[in-house]
């Protein structure tokens, strides 16, 4: 593994609060960092270890911080392609894919199927969205078939066909090196194929994920969703803006103005601006809720699973951690609580 050393800045306005003279930041995978944990040299890690290793670390005295699922992996649709440009087809796919099963399989003990397909992590949606108006998209193969028939498709010999008579097939791209995402993608492809939409898992290099989506060089693809930190609107920047409106190419080709059953005409751009205007949280919550409900209906992407990770810490072993429990509701990847705790003296040597 590689590492960098960060000395304390004596001129910082927080210098009197930080109690450590230096930080050692390590970069490496689980096999690289496991020896450092076993030798008692680590204080915090975001890595996911095998269950046997975690049990051994707990016996040593290490603590684990249970984190909520605020982000995860979704299936991105190419809305430029028929019949994916029809919302009924996307909704049908949502009724076919068993998110709960995929959550159990992708990374056992860590990954969890998404309950609310709103574009937000479930933990965030529960605090910001009127969930009574959200479609749970439970597995419903008969309902999925009805939606496809309404969209003009037909099923013959167990296979779905488009209106022109050609077979409805899909290719699902996913970085091969992402073990949990690959497992999820393979399972989703199998479920769609069993339903009559022959779906091929296409493994790609992780470096091709963003270029392929931005250029529209995909049919459906696994990519990120959620990460609504420090404000829920940021969860929509990835799929609706970076991979769509401002993409270096057509992106997912999702029209930011949609006609919905829930609200009639919806302008996602306008709602995103409204959601961060002013300081009235209730007004912002109303805008976020409208975005989430409209997202749930129109499905620019289909959120599939989140990761409820357990981060290793030396709390009680080498260090003492304090601070409000609400800190741990933040995304460990985008608004990490440890940074705040270190800068405010909430982590101290034991």
């Amino acid at each position: 593994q590689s590492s960098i050393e960060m000395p304390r800045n004596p001129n910082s306005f927080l210098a009197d609060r930080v109690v450590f003279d230096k930080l050692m930041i390590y970069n490496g995978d689980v096999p690289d960092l496991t020896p450092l944990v076993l030798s008692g040299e680590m204080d915090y890690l975001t890595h996911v270890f095998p269950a046997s290793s975690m049990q051994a670390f707990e016996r040593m005295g290490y603590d684990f911080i249970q984190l909520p699922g605020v982000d995860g992996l979704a299936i991105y649709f190419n809305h430029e392609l028929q019949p994916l440009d029809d919302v009924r087809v996307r909704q049908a796919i949502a009724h076919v894919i068993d998110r709960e099963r995929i959550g159990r399989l992708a990374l056992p003990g860590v990954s969890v199927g998404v309950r609310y397909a709103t574009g937000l992590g479930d933990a965030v949606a529960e605090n910001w969205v009127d969930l009574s108006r959200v479609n749970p998209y439970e597995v419903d193969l008969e309902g999925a078939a009805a939606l496809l028939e309404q969209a003009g498709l037909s099923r013959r010999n167990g296979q779905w066909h488009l209106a022109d008579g050609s077979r409805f097939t899909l290719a699902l791209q996913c970085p091969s090196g992402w073990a949990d995402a690959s497992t999820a993608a393979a399972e989703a492809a199998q479920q769609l194929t069993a339903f009559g939409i022959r779906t091929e898992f296409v493994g790609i290099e992780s470096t091709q994920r963003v270029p392929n989506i931005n250029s529209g060089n995909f049919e459906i693809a696994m990519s990120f969703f959620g990460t609504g930190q420090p404000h829920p609107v940021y969860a929509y920047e990835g799929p609706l803006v970076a991979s769509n409106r401002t993409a270096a190419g057509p992106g997912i080709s999702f029209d930011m103005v949609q006609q919905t059953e829930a609200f009639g005409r919806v302008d996602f751009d306008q709602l995103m601006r409204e959601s961060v205007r002013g300081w009235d949280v209730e007004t912002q919550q109303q805008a976020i809720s409208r975005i989430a409900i409209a997202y749930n209906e129109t499905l620019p992407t289909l959120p599939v699973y989140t990761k409820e990770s357990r981060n290793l810490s030396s709390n009680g072993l080498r260090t003492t951690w304090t601070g409000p429990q609400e800190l741990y509701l933040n995304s460990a990847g985008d608004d990490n609580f440890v940074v705040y705790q270190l800068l405010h003296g909430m982590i101290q040597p034991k």
Side-chain angles (χ1 to χ4, degrees):
Q1 83 285 340
S2 59
S3 64
I4 61 171
E5 181 177 308
M6 299 178 64
R8 178 170 56 174
N9 179 2
N11 299 315
S12 168
F13 71 99
L14 292 173
D16 60 331
R17 298 190 186 184
V18 177
V19 299
F20 296 96
D21 291 328
K22 68 177 180 180
L23 296 178
M24 292 294 297
I25 312 297
Y26 291 94
N27 179 39
D29 290 327
V30 167
D32 304 313
L33 299 178
T34 297
L36 294 177
V37 180
L38 292 173
S39 63
E41 298 178 53
M42 296 304 301
D43 293 298
Y44 175 70
L45 280 174
T46 60
H47 294 60
V48 177
F49 292 91
S52 58
S53 296
M54 294 174 73
Q55 292 169 1
F57 299 157
E58 285 179 313
R59 288 194 295 269
M60 291 176 59
Y62 278 104
D63 188 27
F64 284 89
I65 304 167
Q66 181 66 60
L67 303 177
V70 296
D71 49 27
L73 274 293
I75 292 176
Y76 279 44
F77 298 106
N78 188 336
H79 297 255
E80 184 70 18
L81 304 178
Q82 295 182 347
L84 297 175
D85 60 337
D86 191 316
V87 66
R88 293 168 295 188
V89 173
R90 301 193 297 275
Q91 291 173 343
I93 290 173
H95 278 299
V96 172
I97 292 177
D98 187 340
R99 304 189 304 277
E100 192 273 335
R101 174 176 169 79
I102 289 175
R104 291 200 315 270
L105 295 175
L107 193 60
V110 176
S111 58
V112 178
V114 169
R115 294 179 62 193
Y116 314 112
T118 63
L120 298 169
D122 288 344
V124 179
E126 288 168 355
N127 290 312
W128 284 80
V129 180
D130 179 2
L131 296 176
S132 68
R133 303 185 65 179
V134 168
N135 187 338
Y137 290 109
E138 296 174 346
V139 175
D140 181 359
L141 301 186
E142 290 185 3
L147 284 165
L148 290 182
E149 289 170 355
Q150 292 170 22
L153 283 76
S154 59
R155 182 159 50 184
R156 300 193 299 275
N157 299 320
Q159 300 296 313
W160 285 96
H161 292 74
L162 306 181
D164 63 5
S166 60
R167 288 181 62 179
F168 180 19
T169 64
L170 291 170
L172 174 53
Q173 292 185 12
C174 179
S176 302
W178 294 3
D180 55 300
S182 292
T183 300
E187 176 63 23
Q190 182 176 325
Q191 292 175 8
L192 288 167
T193 298
F195 176 68
I197 302 173
R198 184 166 62 83
T199 303
E200 177 188 6
F201 170 85
V202 179
I204 61 172
E205 294 293 330
S206 61
T207 54
Q208 285 302 115
R209 175 183 60 88
V210 172
N212 283 4
I213 291 175
N214 284 348
S215 64
N217 183 25
F218 75 104
E219 294 179 358
I220 55 177
M222 298 295 291
S223 194
F224 297 114
F225 88 95
T227 320
Q229 301 284 344
H231 189 283
V233 75
Y234 289 107
Y236 298 109
E237 280 198 333
L240 294 182
V241 180
S243 296
N244 186 42
R245 182 168 55 77
T246 64
I252 66 173
S253 298
F254 178 76
D255 191 343
M256 293 292 278
V257 177
Q258 294 279 327
Q259 193 66 30
T260 68
E261 293 184 8
F263 305 114
R265 182 180 181 275
V266 167
D267 185 330
F268 281 99
D269 265 327
Q270 179 181 343
L271 283 175
M272 290 172 69
R273 289 193 297 271
E274 289 178 3
S275 73
V276 293
R277 187 174 297 149
W279 298 99
D280 187 341
V281 175
E282 184 176 346
T283 300
Q284 293 187 1
Q285 187 172 16
Q286 291 173 359
I288 289 293
S289 189
R290 288 173 70 90
I291 295 172
I293 293 166
Y295 197 103
N296 172 259
E297 179 183 330
T298 58
L299 292 178
T301 70
L302 174 63
V304 178
Y305 71 95
T306 62
K307 295 182 182 180
E308 296 185 351
S309 303
R310 298 179 70 207
N311 286 182
L312 177 144
S313 89
S314 65
N315 182 27
L317 182 65
R318 287 164 38 104
T319 55
T320 300
W321 295 39
T322 60
Q325 288 299 306
E326 289 81 2
L327 280 175
Y328 301 113
L329 296 177
N330 291 340
S331 168
D334 295 271
D335 195 15
N336 194 286
F337 39 85
V338 172
V339 175
Y340 184 89
Q341 288 172 296
L342 284 170
L343 292 176
H344 290 80
M346 296 178 183
I347 299 177
Q348 301 194 12
K350 187 175 179 182

